């Protein structure tokens, strides 16, 4: 039973930065009660936004918080609701609950709730403070750190958003007990990404602890979440606005986002990023930047974590399509495919300080075709 604290300082965060608290065994209810009491004494209004799955899993605790005076809104769960309509719903709820510029809004949920609430907070009355209580692996190790907020649009994912750091992040690992197996497993795509881009020791730790990960061993999870928060913190501290180093966090995401879009979001983000990492690692190998042994190790790690490393069968015959889909990516330009190449496990390729490689359409299509031949299509 312990709580660890990591401080994230960036140019735009306050001079003291913001704290990320990692609590291994208790649920966040006491923390939320105390928070409400603190704001009540300061005569400041607060509101809590969560989603329908969290409400179902933690109904009794949330009812108690509501009885204590927390205004609580549970938005419909899922990526399909990370949009302008839900943003407006949250804003209406905040207005009705007399949220003002001195108020704080709290996000309790996965990356969808965090991205939405952070974005609402960034623009509501030109910016109010918010706190993040991430409840999924993705949100704990990735989405809650770094201040990126936003929503999806019919034109692509995360295309409207803002940078707005939370005031505090409180990670309660106990919440992971109710996360569905598929969501839990998919979250490890981001964990694997952090190991591959920045930390070979984490890669080795993951390989050694596959069984502990599968049975959600608390000590193992605490070590993994802590390490991931530190990795993300180091990257975003150095490059808050994604002009350089932060691009390495996009490893696997250019192909991944394209596949996610192409599957009409039937492929989850984690599944798509995992295939994307295998593909982009393969491109790196074919371009002479990564050894074949490390490429194989990457594919093996993804498989051990129960993640996909090959293209799904439905994408067969649609090879040019991922290319078009990848062009929807914010980093792509009209005809060039951009991605962050990997040099070895734990290290990304930087050419002249740039962590972005540009491939012409033809070169991308050849590499993609080759990748599909290298790793046969998965059945589903
Ligand atoms: N801002 C960033 O830097 C950043 C980084 C990575 C991902 N993201 C975003 O995060 C989102 C993906 O995050 P996600 O995978 O958490 O998605 P999510 O919020 O949709 O959560 C996944 C599912 O798990 C459920 N869930 C979450 N926590 C639970 C718990 N403790 N118990 C039971 N059910 C729970 C949710 O209701 C949902 O159905 C994407 O929208 C992605 O764009 C943002």
């Amino acid at each position: 039973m312990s709580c660890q604290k990591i401080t994230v300082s960036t140019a735009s965060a306050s001079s003291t930065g913001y704290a990320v608290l990692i609590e291994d065994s208790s649920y966040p209810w006491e923390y939320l009660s105390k928070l409400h009491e603190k704001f009540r004494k300061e005569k400041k209004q607060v509101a809590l936004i969560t989603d329908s799955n969290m409400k179902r899993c933690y109904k009794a605790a949330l009812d108690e918080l509501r009885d204590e005076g927390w205004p609580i809104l549970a938005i419909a769960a899922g990526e399909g609701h990370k949009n302008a309509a839900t943003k407006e719903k949250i804003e209406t709820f905040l207005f009705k609950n007399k949220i003002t510029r001195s108020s704080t809004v709290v996000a309790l949920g996965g990356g969808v709730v965090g991205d939405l609430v952070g974005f609402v907070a960034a623009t509501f009355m030109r910016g109010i403070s918010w706190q993040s209580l991430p409840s999924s692996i993705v949100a704990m190790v990735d989405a809650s750190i770094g201040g990126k907020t936003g929503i999806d649009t019919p034109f692509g994912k995360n295309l409207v958003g803002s940078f707005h750091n939370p005031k505090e992040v409180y990670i309660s690992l106990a919440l992971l007990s109710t996360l569905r197996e598929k969501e839990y497993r998919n979250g490890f795509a981001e964990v694997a990404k952090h190991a591959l881009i920045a930390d070979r020791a984490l890669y080795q730790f993951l390989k050694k602890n596959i069984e502990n990960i599968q049975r959600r061993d608390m000590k193992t999870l605490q070590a993994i979440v802590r390490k991931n928060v530190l990795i993300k913190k180091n990257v975003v501290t150095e490059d808050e606005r994604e002009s350089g180093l932060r691009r390495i966090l996009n490893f696997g995401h250019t192909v991944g986002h394209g596949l996610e879009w192409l599957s009409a979001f039937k492929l989850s983000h984690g599944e798509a990023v995992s295939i994307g990492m295998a593909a982009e690692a393969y491109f790196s190998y074919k371009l002479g930047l990564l050894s074949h042994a490390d490429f194989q190790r990457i594919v093996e790690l993804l498989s051990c974590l129960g993640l996909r490393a090959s293209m799904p069968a439905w994408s067969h015959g649609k090879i040019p399509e991922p290319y078009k889909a990848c062009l929807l990516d914010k980093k792509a330009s009209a005809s060039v495919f951009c991605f962050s190449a990997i040099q070895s496990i734990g290290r990304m390729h930087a050419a002249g300080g740039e962590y972005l490689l540009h491939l012409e359409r033809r070169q991308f299509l050849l590499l993609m075709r080759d990748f599909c031949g290298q790793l046969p299509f998965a059945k589903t």
Side-chain angles (χ1 to χ4, degrees):
M1 296 225 295
S2 65
C3 183
Q4 300 185 348
K5 181 176 171 181
I6 296 168
T7 303
V8 182
S9 313
T10 59
S12 74
S14 67
S15 54
T16 49
Y18 58 94
V20 180
L21 305 169
I22 307 172
E23 179 70 64
D24 64 352
S25 58
S26 26
Y27 285 96
W29 320 128
E30 197 183 325
Y31 171 84
L32 285 167
S33 286
K34 284 187 181 157
L35 201 64
H36 189 265
E37 187 56 20
K38 174 180 166 280
F39 283 117
R40 198 187 56 78
K41 280 186 186 150
E42 292 170 1
K43 298 197 184 334
K44 288 179 184 166
Q45 184 58 290
V46 280
L48 182 97
I49 314 296
T50 188
D51 76 13
S52 48
N53 286 332
M54 291 296 286
K55 188 180 167 189
R56 185 174 40 79
C57 294
Y58 299 106
K59 188 172 180 326
L62 291 171
D63 282 350
E64 255 181 56
L65 289 172
R66 183 173 279 137
D67 292 345
E68 283 173 18
W70 271 100
I72 301 177
L73 172 70
I75 58 168
E79 188 71 35
H81 299 279
K82 196 175 115 176
N83 55 28
T86 312
K87 181 176 184 266
E88 200 178 328
K89 232 177 241 172
I90 297 173
E91 285 160 351
T92 304
F93 179 78
L94 298 187
F95 282 122
K96 284 189 176 164
N97 283 282
K98 307 199 170 11
I99 295 295
T100 64
R101 287 199 75 176
S102 62
S103 302
T104 288
V105 57
V106 175
L108 171 68
V112 165
V113 174
D115 276 11
L116 262 165
V117 171
F119 188 40
V120 168
T123 50
F124 191 83
M125 298 194 176
R126 297 209 178 83
I128 62 171
S129 83
W130 72 291
Q131 290 191 208
S132 173
L133 274 73
S135 64
S136 67
I137 289 282
V138 173
M140 289 177 186
V141 305
D142 194 357
S144 65
I145 321 290
K148 266 196 191 180
T149 72
I151 53 172
D152 301 336
T153 78
F155 299 93
K157 246 181 83 105
N158 296 327
L159 289 184
V160 174
S162 153
F163 285 92
H164 188 47
N165 283 309
K167 206 167 164 231
E168 187 164 89
V169 179
Y170 183 85
I171 299 177
S172 156
L173 296 172
L175 291 175
L176 293 175
S177 61
T178 51
L179 190 64
R180 281 183 305 167
E181 185 56 32
K182 186 176 174 226
E183 306 295 349
Y184 178 77
R185 198 175 48 239
N186 286 337
F188 274 86
E190 304 293 348
V191 173
K193 180 193 78 181
H194 283 154
L196 298 178
I197 63 172
D199 196 330
R200 200 170 182 110
L202 176 60
Y203 156 80
Q204 270 146 357
F205 183 86
L206 293 174
K207 269 194 73 183
K208 264 195 210 142
N209 284 279
I210 296 293
E211 268 182 36
N212 286 335
I213 292 169
Q214 280 162 353
R215 60 183 179 87
R216 306 192 190 194
D217 172 67
M218 268 305 149
K219 257 192 156 173
T220 309
L221 286 174
Q222 192 181 36
I224 289 172
V225 170
R226 185 177 167 277
K227 196 73 205 151
N228 277 268
V229 169
L230 285 170
I231 292 170
K232 181 118 192 224
K233 167 196 147 145
N234 289 341
V235 175
V236 302
T237 303
E238 200 164 309
D239 176 19
E240 190 176 13
R241 299 278 161 154
E242 203 169 286
S243 47
L245 184 68
R246 195 166 175 157
R247 289 194 172 128
I248 66 174
L249 295 171
N250 292 318
F251 176 53
H253 281 60
T254 316
V255 170
H257 276 164
L259 284 174
E260 213 178 346
W261 181 83
L262 196 63
S263 75
F265 294 96
K266 281 188 198 78
L267 207 58
S268 75
H269 182 69
E271 289 170 316
V273 167
S274 179
I275 301 168
M277 286 192 286
E280 292 178 21
Y282 184 73
F283 302 168
S284 308
Y285 153 63
K286 288 301 274 187
L287 293 168
L289 303 169
L290 177 76
S291 71
H292 191 255
D294 265 2
F295 166 64
Q296 282 179 317
R297 285 186 191 106
I298 291 170
V299 170
E300 197 182 298
L301 175 71
L302 297 173
S303 309
C304 287
L305 289 168
L307 294 162
R308 285 167 184 261
S310 58
M311 297 286 275
W314 55 257
S315 67
H316 186 73
K318 286 189 177 177
I319 299 305
E321 299 301 323
Y323 173 79
K324 284 185 211 151
C326 291
L327 292 183
L328 286 173
D329 194 272
K330 290 191 286 297
K331 293 161 289 301
S333 62
S335 60
V336 177
F337 169 83
C338 309
F339 77 108
S340 297
I342 182 164
Q343 188 171 319
S344 61
I345 291 176
R347 191 179 183 145
M348 295 302 280
H349 172 75
E354 267 268 319
Y355 287 95
L356 212 54
L357 272 191
H358 306 264
L359 296 179
E360 294 300 326
R361 177 192 160 90
R362 202 183 127 69
Q363 197 181 11
F364 168 78
L365 288 179
L366 286 174
L367 284 172
M368 196 65 166
R369 210 160 275 163
D370 217 15
F371 169 66
C372 295
Q374 176 80 11
L375 295 171
F377 290 94
K379 285 199 183 66
T380 53

